[in-house]
């Protein structure tokens, strides 16, 4: 452990994303962090958001003769039961170390954080005492991997405590107050570098979660109505292509509508504006139409230029409209939102949206592949090139329309390609969204008939009504071939990823919480 006056390491402006620094980073602006207070203040800038209910590890590397340069970050929601703490600490430590090793840079040291707000009747000091065992488990697991934790901090109720202070009575029992946000030297350096710290993950997820207002019932009725007319057409091979084109034409019109809308300030007001610009029947038509893979993949071509921003807003709005028993339908718009966010360079929203897509449908392979590629730190340009080529082929006069359910993108959803195993390392956090996780319910394995219809009917959440059978049609037996080659984008378990994944507290198939990584 280090003395509280010892230099912990330089914070570099290009290190905030969690990617390993490039060689040119030697000339980047540096901020040296020397005290626990500065380390506590640095956490939101290291993650890109303010963590809640989180256990976090930050890797430190020796580089060019300097000690303690920040590397990867990993975060996991704190398990609700203490019995799961040891397994969570082990998974978090191993995920970050093995992820860093895959990128060729093993951490020399770690900084550990536990962050949680007091519960009813608790104080910040009570939280610090209650989480002391968790912090010790994190230090032990890192030590077992020969990576010592040089500082472990608890952040709660606007104050912080060090678990590593070697001087008895050095730190106040009631903790030290956190500095005002945005007033530190680090905050100034981050602002200068163009780095923005968002609010919390809860606020980000709120933009993607389904409505729980009175308007949700009207949207549900619109989905039922649209399903009665669209589902029979989607199950017919010829009519399905017509529905695909109608869906894309409608989406393009709404994207143009969004693009010309008057700007508003603030995320929530902007979402309300977008909701008001989208009618219930339009949303229902798009949600059901996007369940077809061909349509979804063609819609993914709106991922750059002036189209990207309005398209992302539309996919968010559609995710919010997947209400009631239509929750699984959100996988398509959430995946599109994650893809466009990744294409635009917003890895935080990309991971969160893709994690939520997998929570809605754990078997949604396109979301899984995108999430793993994003976590791997791969360049989305490989996927963009494929989508540009496919889009140009569809729009070139005289070309023959494809009947394949998916274009030849760099992420191929091939029946011959087994789905990657659930992430064994770093994933997103939150009780509701976890890549590769189950949400406490096992999906029904559906037997499809000869026409590709799985024949299921899902009971409605209200009044015992039922929605039309199979509003998420699968491609028919004809035209379902996929390219047999493997994707140029290499998938992996989400054991490591630059930037930050986002969600903690979700459960994997074995019931253990899955972490997420930034490094």
């Amino acid at each position: 452990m280090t003395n509280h006056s010892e230099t912990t390491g330089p914070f570099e402006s290009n290190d905030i994303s969690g990617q390993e620094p490039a060689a040119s980073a030697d000339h980047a602006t540096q901020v040296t962090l020397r005290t626990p207070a500065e380390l506590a203040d640095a956490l939101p800038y290291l993650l890109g958001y303010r963590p809640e209910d989180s256990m976090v590890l930050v890797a430190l590397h020796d580089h060019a003769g300097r000690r303690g340069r920040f590397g990867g970050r990993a975060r996991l929601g704190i398990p609700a039961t203490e019995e799961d703490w040891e397994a969570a600490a082990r998974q978090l430590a191993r995920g970050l170390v093995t992820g860093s090793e895959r990128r060729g840079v093993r951490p020399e040291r770690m900084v550990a954080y536990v962050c949680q707000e007091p519960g009813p009747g608790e104080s910040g000091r009570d939280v610090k005492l209650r989480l002391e065992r968790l912090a010790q488990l994190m230090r032990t697991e890192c030590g077992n991997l020969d990576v010592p934790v040089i500082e472990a901090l608890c952040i709660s109720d606007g104050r912080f405590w060090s678990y590593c202070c070697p001087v008895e009575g050095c730190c106040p029992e009631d903790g030290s107050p956190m500095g005002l946000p945005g007033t530190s030297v680090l905050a100034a350096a981050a602002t200068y570098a163009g780095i923005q710290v968002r609010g919390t993950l809860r606020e980000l997820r709120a933009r993607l979660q389904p409505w729980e207002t009175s308007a949700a019932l009207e949207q549900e009725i619109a989905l039922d109505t649209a399903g009665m007319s669209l589902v029979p057409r989607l199950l017919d091979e010829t009519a399905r292509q017509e529905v695909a084109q109608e869906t894309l034409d409608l989406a393009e019109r709404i994207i143009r509508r969004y693009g010309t809308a008057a700007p508003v300030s603030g995320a929530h007001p902007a979402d309300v504006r977008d909701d008001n610009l989208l009618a219930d029947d339009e949303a229902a038509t798009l949600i059901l139409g996007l369940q077809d893979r061909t349509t979804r993949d063609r819609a993914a071509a709106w991922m750059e230029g002036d189209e990207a921003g309005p398209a992302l807003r539309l996919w968010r709005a559609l995710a919010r409209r997947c209400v009631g028993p239509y929750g699984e339908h959100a996988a398509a718009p959430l995946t599109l939102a994650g893809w466009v966010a990744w294409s635009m360079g917003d890895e935080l929203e990309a991971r969160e949206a893709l994690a939520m897509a997998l929570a809605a449908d754990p078997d949604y392979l396109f979301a899984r592949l995108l999430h793993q590629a994003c976590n791997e730190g791969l360049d989305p340009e490989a996927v963009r090139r494929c989508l540009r080529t496919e889009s140009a082929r569809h729009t070139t006069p005289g070309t023959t329309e494809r009947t394949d359910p998916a274009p030849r993108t760099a992420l191929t959803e091939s029946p011959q390609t087994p789905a990657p195993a659930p992430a064994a390392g770093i994933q997103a956090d939150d009780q509701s969204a976890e890549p590769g996780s189950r949400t406490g319910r096992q999906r029904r394995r559906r037997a499809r008939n000869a026409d590709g219809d799985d024949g299921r009917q899902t009971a409605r959440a209200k009044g015992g009504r039922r929605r039309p059978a199979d509003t998420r049609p699968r491609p028919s037996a004809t035209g379902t071939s996929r390219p047999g080659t493997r994707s140029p984008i290499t998938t992996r378990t989400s054991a490591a990823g630059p930037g930050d994944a986002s969600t903690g507290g979700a459960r994997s198939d074995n019931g253990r919480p899955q972490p997420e990584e930034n490094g």
Side-chain angles (χ1 to χ4, degrees), residues 139-360:
R139 297 173 68 186
T140 300
E141 294 299 333
C142 289
N144 290 341
L145 298 171
D146 296 324
V147 184
V149 172
I150 63 167
E151 184 61 275
L153 298 173
C154 175
I155 299 175
S156 180
D157 199 24
R159 308 182 78 84
F160 71 90
W161 293 259
S162 171
Y163 292 115
C164 294
C165 182
V167 181
E168 185 176 354
C170 168
C171 302
E173 289 189 3
D174 291 332
S176 303
M178 298 282 292
L180 292 176
T183 60
S184 66
V185 175
L186 178 58
T191 301
Y192 179 77
I195 303 299
Q196 293 184 349
V197 175
R198 306 192 186 192
T200 64
L201 290 179
R202 184 181 295 119
E203 294 169 345
L204 177 58
R205 291 186 205 107
R207 309 190 71 183
L208 301 168
Q209 289 174 335
W211 286 347
E212 294 183 354
T213 65
S214 57
L217 179 59
E218 296 179 4
Q219 182 61 65
E220 189 176 335
I221 293 172
L223 284 161
D224 287 343
T225 303
M228 295 294 290
S229 60
L230 283 180
V231 169
R233 298 177 64 200
L234 286 167
L235 298 176
D236 177 81
E237 180 60 31
T238 301
R240 184 167 62 88
Q241 296 182 23
E242 296 174 355
V243 173
Q245 192 58 50
E246 293 168 6
T247 302
L248 293 167
D249 290 343
L250 175 59
E252 189 171 10
R253 289 197 301 272
I254 297 173
I255 287 173
R256 288 198 299 268
R257 185 187 305 168
Y258 277 10
T260 58
V264 297
S265 177
H268 179 66
D271 291 342
V272 171
R273 173 205 57 197
D274 292 342
D275 289 338
N276 292 334
L277 290 172
L278 181 63
D280 290 344
D281 58 340
E282 292 174 328
T285 299
L286 290 176
I287 289 169
L288 297 177
L290 289 172
Q291 304 308 307
D292 177 69
R293 292 179 178 179
T294 305
T295 310
R296 178 206 64 196
D297 289 329
R298 289 176 62 186
W302 293 310
M303 76 277 182
E304 56 190 345
D306 294 338
E307 300 172 323
L312 176 57
R313 289 160 50 194
L314 175 58
W315 308 142
R316 287 189 196 124
L318 293 181
R320 294 192 293 269
R321 302 293 187 103
C322 293
V323 297
Y326 292 90
E328 283 188 358
H329 290 62
L334 284 169
T335 300
L336 289 171
W339 157 240
V340 176
W342 183 35
S343 179
M344 295 173 67
D346 188 345
E347 295 184 357
L348 177 58
E349 180 167 1
R351 286 185 177 84
E352 195 60 33
L354 293 169
M356 294 177 69
L358 287 168

Side-chain angles (χ1 to χ4, degrees), residues 489-515:
I489 289 188
T490 304
T491 62
R492 69 177 185 95
T493 58
S494 350
D500 171 65
S502 43
T503 64
R507 302 280 169 176
S508 66
D509 289 340
N510 61 8
R512 295 293 184 187
Q514 294 279 37

Side-chain angles (χ1 to χ4, degrees), residues 72-156:
R73 304 70 144 145
R75 176 199 170 281
L76 177 66
I78 296 176
T81 58
E82 292 192 27
E83 289 79 5
D84 292 330
W85 283 4
E86 184 174 359
R90 181 179 305 115
Q91 191 170 14
L92 190 67
R94 290 182 179 178
L96 181 54
V97 171
T98 57
S100 297
E101 288 176 337
R102 272 202 300 272
R103 285 184 294 280
V105 186
R106 179 180 172 84
E108 278 80 22
R109 291 167 291 166
M110 294 278 195
V111 178
Y113 299 84
V114 288
C115 311
Q116 194 173 72
E117 290 304 298
E122 270 192 324
S123 66
R125 184 171 181 270
D126 294 332
V127 174
K128 179 255 184 181
L129 295 174
R130 177 165 52 80
L131 297 182
E132 186 168 4
R133 176 173 170 267
L134 175 59
Q136 182 59 43
L137 288 169
M138 294 168 67
R139 297 173 68 186
T140 300
E141 294 299 333
C142 289
N144 290 341
L145 298 171
D146 296 324
V147 184
V149 172
I150 63 167
E151 184 61 275
L153 298 173
C154 175
I155 299 175
S156 180

Side-chain angles (χ1 to χ4, degrees), residues 12 14-25 58-63 69-73 96-108 376-377 496-499 517-519:
E12 303 195 5
N14 67 343
D15 252 348
I16 296 176
S17 68
Q19 297 182 358
E20 297 299 337
S24 60
V58 179
L60 298 175
H61 303 294
D62 293 342
H63 181 75
R69 189 164 183 259
F70 284 117
R73 304 70 144 145
L96 181 54
V97 171
T98 57
S100 297
E101 288 176 337
R102 272 202 300 272
R103 285 184 294 280
V105 186
R106 179 180 172 84
E108 278 80 22
E376 190 69 30
E517 184 199 354
N518 265 15

